[in-house]
Amino acid sequence: MVYDNIVLIGFMGSGKTSVGKILARQLFKKFVDVDSIIEVEQNSSVSDIFKNKGEDYFRALEQKCINELTQKTGQVIATGGGLPIYSSISKKSLIVYIDADFEVILNRLPAKERDKRPLLQDESRAKALFNQRIDTYKELATFSVDANQSIPTFIHVIRDFILDQRVL
Ligand code: S3P
């Protein structure tokens, strides 16, 4: 199988953006981040889009964004945690699940980062969301990496897997 792009999926705060930037550099691919693209295009933060336009509006933007990105090739794409739940991702993408436990994620995220995420404000609801989503992440993934360690300790595992694949 020849993949067009590498798509990183996983729960909020699992490290998709940080991992994506490093991987893209190491693999000589372009890094793109769906949330950042939406924020620039809408000239608004994700939390303001949720507040002012609602979650459904945001989900439609995510689907449009991933459709447009996957028309192109050679990118490492960091998604928002809900994107693979509400949007379909091109079958030609190599999908990597950044698999971190809920408690690890919470400990990893500084308060400032938590504040940016509307769906992480109530811890017990966030935990329920995590439990609801985890199977879908695993089912969609071409490859899952145990992301409970620090990023430098697992990034080479992802890189070695990808280097064994054909990605345009
Ligand atoms: C969301 C995850 C966020 C962002 C939005 C919704 C989700 O992205 O897209 O707040 O539903 O899991 P991160 O996964 O980068 O935090």
Side-chain angles (χ1 to χ4, degrees), residues 10-14 16-17 33 35 46-47 50 55 58-59 62 79-83 86 116-119 129 133 137:
F11 202 65
M12 293 170 265
S14 56
K16 298 170 299 259
T17 301
D33 183 290
D35 282 345
V46 169
S47 61
F50 265 72
E55 181 172 348
F58 176 75
R59 298 301 176 197
E62 281 188 311
T79 59
L83 186 141
Y86 300 100
K116 289 186 195 161
R117 292 166 167 87
L119 300 179
L129 201 58
R133 288 178 174 182
Y137 292 142

Side-chain angles (χ1 to χ4, degrees), residues 136-147:
T136 308
Y137 292 142
K138 286 183 179 163
E139 279 160 24
L140 284 172
T142 320
F143 179 69
S144 297
V145 67
D146 178 350

Side-chain angles (χ1 to χ4, degrees), residues 102 114 117-129:
F102 185 72
R114 264 198 226 192
R117 292 166 167 87
L119 300 179
L120 216 49
Q121 298 311 306
D122 177 324
E123 196 172 313
S124 60
R125 286 172 77 172
K127 169 92 181 156
L129 201 58

